[in-house]
Amino acid sequence: MSTAQALTPQPQATSPAPRAIISHLKNATFDHGLRAFFEYRDLGVAQATAGGYSVHVIRALDGHEASGVPHLHQLDFQFVYVLQGWVEFEYEQTGVVRLERGDSVYQPPGIRHREIAHSADLEMLEVVAPATFPTATLEQV
């Protein structure tokens, strides 16, 4: 049983129509980001949402190992989905978790964690809100 209702478009005299944000892999660039052992591909969501959200692809940099530094992020939402390869995280109250292709993790706001190791071919999709947020380095998870 569906609860969806048909919507009637309302004219918006003062606002432009919303635009879809398209990001093609063939034109993509990967840049340095929060972690020195990863590179990041911005998918354009931060700009489209005025910093409300960010979606990016993270991949392992060849020849770089994880630092294993415990930390936490001060944000409202963080979700990671593994596209290929594997990654091991340690979370407070959970312990060590290995995520492989097709696995995901919702990281609650402020959870203490660290990235322990990853495969050379690791690629992850990450969604965060807001797009920019502070990160605190910790002594332990």
Side-chain angles (χ1 to χ4, degrees), residues 25-42:
L25 179 59
K26 67 182 175 185
N27 301 324
T29 58
F30 283 79
D31 300 308
H32 296 287
L34 183 62
R35 303 280 169 231
F37 45 87
F38 288 148
E39 58 184 359
Y40 300 75
R41 175 181 164 207
D42 179 13

Side-chain angles (χ1 to χ4, degrees), residues 14 41 46 101 112:
T14 59
R41 175 181 164 207
R101 182 175 164 230
R112 294 170 172 258

Side-chain angles (χ1 to χ4, degrees), residues 34-35 37-38 40 58 66 68-71 73 78-82 86-92 94-100 103-107 111-119 122-126 141:
L34 183 62
R35 303 280 169 231
F37 45 87
F38 288 148
Y40 300 75
I58 302 170
V69 174
H71 61 279
H73 307 295
Q78 185 174 19
F79 177 82
V80 175
Y81 180 86
V82 178
W86 58 266
V87 61
E88 288 183 354
F89 291 106
E90 180 182 9
Y91 294 101
E92 67 177 300
T94 301
V96 176
V97 176
R98 182 182 176 112
L99 301 174
E100 299 177 350
D103 295 341
S104 67
V105 60
Y106 163 69
Q107 296 180 173
I111 191 169
R112 294 170 172 258
H113 65 284
R114 70 186 179 118
E115 197 249 338
I116 298 170
H118 59 264
S119 63
L122 175 66
E123 281 197 11
M124 303 179 287
L125 181 73
E126 183 178 56
V141 170

Side-chain angles (χ1 to χ4, degrees), residues 21 41-56 126-133:
I21 303 301
R41 175 181 164 207
D42 179 13
L43 299 182
V45 174
Q47 184 177 3
T49 62
Y53 300 87
S54 179
V55 180
H56 46 272
E126 183 178 56
V127 180
V128 296
T132 59
F133 51 87

